[in-house]
Amino acid sequence: AEWTYAHYNQPTHELHLGVALEMAQDVEEATDGELTIRVFPSGELGAGPAQQYTRALDGIADVTQGLVASDTFPLPRTMLMELPNLFDTPQEAVDVLWENIELFEPDFQGTKVMALFPNNPAALVLNRPVSSPADLEGLNIRASSAIGAGIMEAWGATPVTMPAGDLYNALQTGVIDGALIGIDGINAYRLQEVASHVITNIPGNITMFYVVANRDSWDGLSEDVQAEVLEVTEHALSMKGADAFTVSGEEAIEAINASGNTEIVELTAEQRALFAEPLPAMVENYLDQVSAAEGFDAQEIYTAISQ
Amino acid sequence: MVRFASVLSALNAALALLAGFLLVSLVGLTAVNVILRYFFSSAVFGAFDLLQAGVATVIFLAMPYCTWRDGHVAVDIAYNLFSKIVQRCVLAMSDLISGTVLGLLAYRSATAMVSAFNYGERSSLLGIPFAPLWGFIAFGAALGAVSCAGRLLLNATNNLHLVPGTSEEEIVQ
Amino acid sequence: MSAFTIGLIGIAVLFALLALRTPVGFAMAAVGLAGITILQNERAALATFSTETFELALKLDLIIIPFFVLMGNLAGVSGLSRNLYDAAYAWIGHRRGGLASATILGCTGFSALSGSSVASAVTMGQVALPEMRRYKYDEGFSAASVAAGGTLGILIPPSTGFVLYALLTEQSIGQLFVAGILPGILLMGLFLVTIAIVASLRPSVAPSGERLTSQERRSATLKALPFLLVVVGTVGGIYAGIFTPMESAAIGVVATLAIALWRRSLTPSNFSRIVRQTVSTTVMCYTIIIGANVLNPFLARSGLTSWVSETVLSLPMGATATLLLILLVFVLLGTFMEGFAMLVLLVPIFFPVIMALGVDPIFFGVLVVIALEIGLITPPVGINVFVVKALVPHVASTRIFLGILPFVVAMLIGMGLLLLFPQIALFLPSTMFR
Ligand code: NA
Ligand code: NA
C-alpha cells in the first residue's frame, strides 16, 4: 500500500526532516516496502493547524501531524502534558508519556496514534530582563494556549493571543512585551532580531505534537505489517521527534547568540523557585475544570505524569 | 414568481444586514481592546476567539446575499460575446455549479456540526463551542444553494431581472 | 489514466469554466472537489472542502479585509474620499492622467498600512474609482491603475507575501521588509511613468482638467485634512507601535464612522446599504481564497506542480538563465494560480537551487514577490482585477485586462532593472543589518 502523510510545516522544518521523512523511511525498511509513505509538506493537502486531526479522521490523508493545542479537535488528556513545571527535556516527557500511554488512549478513539512528543520547554522572549514574576506585572505576553495563558496570569502578566506570524511585528512595535514560546520557535520566527532578552530555565510548559493514522487505513494493513510499523513508530518515532527538537533548540541558541542583539539569561535555582511558587494553584484549578467538563479524572493522569 | 423573488431578496438582505451589524461590533471589540490596553493595561481575554468565530459567522450569514445578487467574481470576457439565449444557458450552468458546490458544503458542514457537537470541539482560549459555528456555515451554504436554485428558476422563466443586482449606485455614492 | 493526466484535464476544465463565467471561487472548488474524488474518494474531497473553509473562515490574518473594506465604504459615504480627490485634482488634475497618478500615490501610501494586495486594491478602489468616474476617466484605465497600484501591498512592508517567504526559507522578515521598500518605490515610479505615457498617447482616457487658483487649492487641501489625519493616524499608529495592522483598521473604521456621523452623512438607509455592500465584498474575497485552497490539494496530489519544477531543474543552463526561467515559471503559473498557493508550492522546490546558484536569498524573495504581483493582475485569474471589477460591475473584464497591459510591461521592466541592479533591493538591508 502507499500512504499519504500530510502536514503544514515547511520542507526545511525539523518535523518534516526529523519525523515525517524519518517515518516514511523507517516504515518502508521495516515492512520491506509493503507499506510506503508519500509525504506532502507545506499544507499541500490542507493548510493551517486547526483541522489537522480531522484530516486524518476523514481520510484526507492516511497520516497527519499536528499541534494538540492548535487543533479544534479536543485531546483533553494529552493536553495535561502541557501543565507547567513537569519536564526539563522533551525526551523525559516522551518516556513518561509512553509509560502511561493507556491513560491517553481514550483521546484517540477514531485514529491510531503513531507518535506523541513535545518541543523544548518554553522560554520567555522579552524586550526587557526579568528575574522574578514581579518583573512581569502588567506586561502583555503572548501565550498560545489556555494553559499558557493561565501561567501568564499566575505570574501577574496579561496574556494576549495572536497568530505566531504576527509576533515579529508585534514585538518590534511594542504591541506585546514578550511571548512564552519554545526556544526553537524564537529562532523560527526570527524573534532575536526584535527582542532583547530570552529567559530560559523557567518552570513553564511544553507543547505537544501528535502523529496519527486514519483508522480505516490502519485496519486495512495486515497484522504482520501493523506489527512491523509499530516497531518503528510509537515510542521510537516520538523519541525521534524529541531529538529533532533538541537539535533545533541547540541551533536556535547558537543563532540567538550570533545575532548579537539578544541576551540569553538562564534563571538560577532560587529565581526559578520564585516562578514556580504560584503555579500549583493554577494547576489545581485547571485539573478541576477539566474533570468537571470532560467527565474523567484529570487528577489521576496528572499524578501519573508528575512523579 | 415576483413574490418568490421578493421574499428571497428580503430574507437574504436581512441576513446580510445582520452580518453587517455583527461585523461592526467586531470592529468595536477590536477598538475597545486597544483602549483597554493603553488606558487600563489589560485586554479582552480571548478577543481573537471572538473575532474568529464572529467573522466566520459574518461570511456565511452574507453568503446567500452575495450569491443571490451575483456578487461573486466571474470572468466575462467570452460571455459578453455571446447571444442573449447563449448567455442565459451559460448563466444557468454557472448557477448550477455554484449551487452544487454550496449544497455539498452545506451537507458536509451539517455532518461536521454533529461531530463537533459529539466530540465537544471548541476554541482553545474561551472554549467557544464550534458546533453552532458549523451550523451557521451549513445554514449559509444551504440558503446560498437555495438562492442558486431560485436564480435557475427565474432564468428558466426569463425573470432574472427580478433579482436586485449589484447595480452602480450600490457602490458607494 | 495517470494522476498527471487527470491534473492536466482539471486545469483545462477550470479554464473552460472560467471562460463560461462560473464564479472563480466556485469553479476552483468544483474542479478541486471533482479531482480529489477521482484521485482519492468523495469523503476526502468533501472533508477537504469543509476543513479548508473552516480554517480560512477563522484565519486571523484575513480579518483585516472586511475591516478595511468597511473603512473604505464609510470614507466614501462621508465624502472623505471625495475631499481627497478634490485636493489631488486641485494640485495635479490639470495634468493628463493626474488622478490616476494620485491613485498610484494613494495605493503606495495605503500599502504601507496593508499587508495584502487584495485589501489595498479593494480599499483604494472604493475611494478612487467613483472619483475618477466623476472626472470622466476611462473606467477600464481607472480600474487597471487601481488593480496595478494595489499590488504594491505585498511589496511595500508590511507584507504577508514576505512573511510567508521568510517562514518558507528561514530568512529574516525584517531584512525582507526593508528590501521591499526601494523596489516598491521603483515600481511606483514606473507606474507613474506608464500613466504619463498612456495619457499622452490617448488623451481621452484621462482627460486633463482646468488649472485651479492657489486659493481653490488651499481650500480643497484643507477639506482633505480629516482623511489625511485618519490615514496618517492609522499608518503612523502601526509604525509607532501603538497598534497592530488589524487594530489600526478597527481604529480607522471608528474614526471614519465618527467623521461620517459628525458630518451627518450617515442615514439609516445608506448605513444599511454600506454594511450589506461590505459583507458582500467580504464573501466574494473569502470565496476565492477558499476555492484556491480546495484546488491546491488536487494539483499537489496530481503531481502537476512538482513536474513543472523538476522539468525546469533538469534543463542544462547557466545560473542567470535558470533564475530567469524560474521567474518565468512564477509569472506563467501566476496567470492562473492564487499567489500564496503558488508561493507555498514552488518556493520550497526552487529555493535549494537558488542557493546552489549563489543567488542572494533576500534578493530572490523580492523577485518572487514581484512575480506574485504580476500574477495578481494577469488573466485569466488575476485576483486584483477581479476584486476591482466587482466594484465596477458594468465594466467588462476585457477592458480592465487591456488597461492592465502597460502596467504588466512596467512590472517586467522593474524586474529587469532589479536583475541588472540587485543593489536596489539589497542596499537598504545591507546598511541596516550590518
Ligand atoms: Na504592504
Ligand atoms: Na494571474
Side-chain angles (χ1 to χ4, degrees):
Chain A
E2 189 194 60
W3 274 7
T4 53
Y5 182 139
H7 66 82
Y8 53 83
N9 294 114
Q10 305 315 325
T12 46
H13 196 276
E14 54 268 21
L15 290 181
H16 177 69
L17 303 170
V19 176
L21 292 185
E22 287 286 317
M23 175 174 167
Q25 191 186 338
D26 293 351
V27 163
E28 187 170 345
E29 277 171 19
T31 62
D32 279 330
E34 279 197 53
L35 179 63
T36 57
I37 296 179
R38 182 175 167 200
V39 182
F40 289 87
S42 313
E44 285 178 2
L45 296 192
Q51 297 276 288
Q52 206 58 13
Y53 190 87
T54 309
R55 291 186 179 111
L57 210 56
D58 284 332
I60 292 176
D62 301 300
V63 181
T64 68
Q65 154 195 314
L67 197 53
V68 173
S70 302
D71 219 289
T72 61
F73 195 94
L75 302 170
R77 294 167 185 82
T78 316
M79 268 308 286
L80 298 178
M81 290 289 291
E82 300 200 10
L83 284 168
N85 207 6
L86 283 177
F87 309 104
D88 291 323
T89 65
Q91 288 77 7
E92 183 191 335
V94 165
D95 283 336
V96 168
L97 186 146
W98 284 96
E99 273 163 31
N100 296 288
I101 186 64
E102 72 288 346
L103 292 176
F104 299 97
E105 263 160 3
D107 274 356
F108 300 94
Q109 287 182 1
T111 58
K112 173 71 189 161
V113 180
M114 296 281 100
L116 287 171
F117 55 90
N119 69 351
N120 298 298
L124 274 170
V125 55
L126 294 158
N127 57 13
R128 68 192 71 193
V130 302
S131 55
S132 80
D135 298 333
L136 288 172
E137 191 73 42
L139 299 190
N140 291 311
I141 310 284
R142 187 257 188 182
S144 59
S145 66
I147 290 178
I151 297 172
M152 292 330 303
E153 279 180 334
W155 290 345
T158 305
V160 179
T161 50
M162 68 172 49
D166 283 355
L167 281 175
Y168 187 98
N169 270 357
L171 206 52
Q172 184 174 41
T173 57
V175 165
I176 54 171
D177 300 295
L180 182 66
I181 182 173
I183 192 113
D184 42 280
I186 296 173
N187 185 37
Y189 293 104
R190 294 284 178 270
L191 302 184
Q192 65 266 29
E193 291 175 12
V194 289
S196 62
H197 288 79
V198 171
I199 317 294
T200 61
N201 191 32
I202 57 170
N205 55 338
I206 53 176
T207 304
M208 290 299 298
F209 294 79
Y210 62 78
V211 179
V212 294
N214 175 273
R215 194 77 225 185
D216 293 339
S217 307
W218 176 255
D219 291 342
L221 300 176
S222 71
E223 276 183 28
D224 289 349
V225 172
Q226 283 184 349
E228 286 158 359
V229 170
L230 289 183
E231 286 287 308
V232 294
T233 54
E234 296 197 318
H235 182 273
L237 185 62
S238 304
M239 205 43 106
K240 286 196 165 180
D243 292 345
F245 273 120
T246 300
V247 170
S248 68
E250 284 161 1
E251 284 168 3
I253 289 174
E254 258 176 54
I256 294 168
N257 282 328
S259 76
N261 185 40
T262 305
E263 190 187 345
I264 300 181
V265 182
E266 192 179 331
L267 291 186
T268 64
E270 296 82 56
Q271 288 168 334
R272 183 179 162 118
L274 286 178
F275 280 93
E277 197 214 291
L279 292 177
M282 175 251 145
V283 170
E284 281 310 308
N285 188 17
Y286 185 84
L287 292 173
D288 288 347
Q289 274 180 13
V290 171
S291 299
E294 306 289 347
F296 65 84
D297 187 358
Q299 187 71 53
E300 181 200 349
I301 299 178
Y302 182 74
T303 310
I305 59 179
S306 58
Q307 288 161 1
Chain B
M1 203 58 72
V2 175
R3 185 160 172 73
F4 167 75
S6 65
V7 166
L8 207 46
S9 294
L11 176 60
N12 289 342
L15 289 174
L17 190 61
L18 189 61
F21 280 120
L22 180 53
L23 179 63
V24 171
S25 27
L26 294 174
V27 169
L29 169 71
T30 311
V32 165
N33 218 11
V34 178
I35 293 166
L36 280 180
R37 186 170 66 232
Y38 282 101
F39 297 96
F40 303 96
S41 186
S42 72
V44 180
F45 182 64
F48 281 114
D49 277 17
L50 291 172
L51 273 175
Q52 288 178 305
V55 169
T57 309
V58 165
I59 297 164
F60 281 90
L61 280 182
M63 179 61 83
Y65 178 79
C66 179
T67 308
W68 173 241
R69 295 156 54 96
D70 196 23
H72 289 288
V73 168
V75 184
D76 56 8
I77 299 177
Y79 177 82
N80 291 329
L81 307 173
F82 298 149
S83 68
K84 266 273 174 295
I85 186 76
V86 177
Q87 286 188 339
R88 273 176 66 192
C89 294
V90 164
L91 271 188
M93 190 201 69
S94 102
D95 280 328
L96 187 64
I97 290 174
S98 305
T100 308
V101 167
L102 283 171
L104 289 170
L105 181 62
Y107 160 71
R108 186 57 184 74
S109 303
T111 322
M113 176 179 71
V114 175
S115 60
F117 180 80
N118 288 338
Y119 292 121
E121 294 182 29
R122 60 198 168 272
S123 72
S124 54
L125 291 170
L126 286 189
I128 300 173
F130 282 137
L133 204 52
W134 279 112
F136 281 126
I137 295 177
F139 169 74
L143 192 55
V146 169
S147 298
C148 288
R151 288 177 56 85
L152 276 171
L153 188 63
L154 293 178
N155 188 348
T157 55
N158 205 6
N159 273 319
L160 207 49
H161 60 271
L162 292 175
V163 177
T166 357
S167 58
E168 268 185 60
E169 63 271 22
E170 284 292 326
I171 311 297
V172 175
Q173 287 163 336
Chain C
M1 213 186 313
S2 71
F4 187 78
T5 318
I6 292 166
L8 282 180
I9 293 173
I11 293 286
V13 171
L14 176 65
F15 277 2
L17 288 182
L18 291 180
L20 293 176
R21 211 191 171 284
T22 309
V24 177
F26 293 132
M28 290 192 284
V31 171
L33 282 169
I36 299 170
T37 304
I38 295 169
L39 292 182
Q40 201 174 3
N41 55 49
E42 77 282 353
R43 186 179 173 203
L46 284 177
T48 300
F49 195 11
S50 63
T51 53
E52 293 305 303
T53 301
F54 196 79
E55 291 266 9
L56 293 162
L58 272 78
K59 197 171 167 67
L60 285 168
D61 307 313
L62 297 177
I63 293 181
I64 194 168
I65 294 177
F67 283 16
F68 275 130
V69 171
L70 184 57
M71 175 174 153
N73 277 334
L74 284 168
V77 78
S78 62
L80 283 173
S81 55
R82 171 169 289 221
N83 295 154
L84 185 73
Y85 269 75
D86 284 342
Y89 189 76
W91 288 98
I92 49 178
H94 61 283
R95 301 209 185 134
R96 277 197 209 121
L99 277 185
S101 304
T103 302
I104 296 294
L105 292 176
C107 286
T108 312
F110 192 77
S111 294
L113 179 76
S114 154
S116 141
S117 288
V118 169
S120 294
V122 168
T123 310
M124 284 314 295
Q126 311 259 17
V127 172
L129 291 175
E131 302 305 316
M132 285 199 274
R133 177 160 67 226
R134 199 156 63 86
Y135 285 104
K136 305 267 184 300
Y137 272 52
D138 176 86
E139 293 198 74
F141 176 69
S142 315
S145 50
V146 171
T151 65
L152 293 173
I154 53 166
L155 187 55
I156 291 170
S159 154
T160 47
F162 279 135
V163 170
L164 198 52
Y165 178 87
L167 298 182
L168 289 167
T169 61
E170 301 194 341
Q171 295 303 307
S172 152
I173 296 171
Q175 287 202 32
L176 282 162
F177 274 10
V178 172
I181 294 175
L182 288 182
I185 293 171
L186 171 71
L187 271 196
M188 177 197 79
L190 288 169
F191 287 163
L192 292 178
V193 171
T194 307
I195 286 167
I197 293 174
V198 171
S200 68
L201 290 178
R202 296 174 55 208
S204 64
V205 155
S208 47
E210 291 165 34
R211 182 185 284 273
L212 300 186
T213 67
S214 59
Q215 196 182 349
E216 286 169 317
R217 283 183 177 174
R218 200 175 318 125
S219 98
T221 310
L222 276 178
K223 278 201 188 126
L225 273 184
F227 183 94
L228 288 177
L229 284 179
V230 171
V231 171
V232 169
T234 43
V235 181
I238 295 176
Y239 281 110
I242 303 172
F243 23 70
T244 64
M246 194 207 289
E247 291 171 346
S248 94
I251 296 291
V253 170
V254 172
T256 42
L257 186 64
I259 292 171
L261 287 172
W262 178 57
R263 290 186 170 181
R264 297 175 194 280
S265 44
L266 217 50
T267 63
S269 88
N270 65 19
F271 183 73
S272 149
R273 200 189 67 219
I274 280 175
V275 295
R276 279 184 287 129
Q277 182 62 42
T278 302
V279 294
S280 187
T281 307
T282 305
V283 169
M284 172 203 94
C285 294
Y286 274 85
T287 306
I288 294 176
I289 297 169
I290 291 169
N293 278 280
V294 177
L295 178 67
N296 209 27
F298 162 56
L299 293 181
R301 213 178 265 279
S302 74
L304 204 65
T305 31
S306 50
W307 173 83
V308 171
S309 48
E310 280 157 21
T311 309
V312 168
L313 298 186
S314 67
L315 299 173
M317 291 188 303
T320 316
T322 310
L323 176 62
L324 283 175
L325 192 66
I326 290 174
L327 290 175
L328 187 70
V329 169
F330 272 92
V331 171
L332 289 183
L333 280 184
T335 58
F336 66 88
M337 266 183 90
E338 198 266 333
F340 286 171
M342 193 168 74
L343 202 64
V344 160
L345 280 183
L346 294 189
V347 165
I349 299 162
F350 285 133
F351 189 71
V353 187
I354 288 299
M355 295 301 281
L357 293 176
V359 177
D360 186 293
I362 300 289
F363 180 55
F364 183 62
V366 174
L367 292 173
V368 163
V369 165
I370 295 178
L372 292 195
E373 285 186 85
I374 296 176
L376 287 169
I377 54 173
T378 46
V381 180
I383 310 281
N384 263 29
V385 172
F386 294 156
V387 296
V388 171
K389 152 82 180 150
L391 301 176
V392 281
H394 55 285
V395 180
S397 305
T398 331
R399 280 179 62 204
I400 308 181
F401 277 127
L402 280 177
I404 282 287
L405 270 181
F407 292 103
V408 173
V409 173
M411 290 165 121
L412 290 173
I413 291 174
M415 199 185 252
L417 285 174
L418 269 173
L419 284 166
L420 288 175
F421 307 104
Q423 307 91 299
I424 300 171
L426 296 176
F427 171 69
L428 282 184
S430 69
T431 55
M432 297 182 71
F433 293 89
R434 290 176 295 279

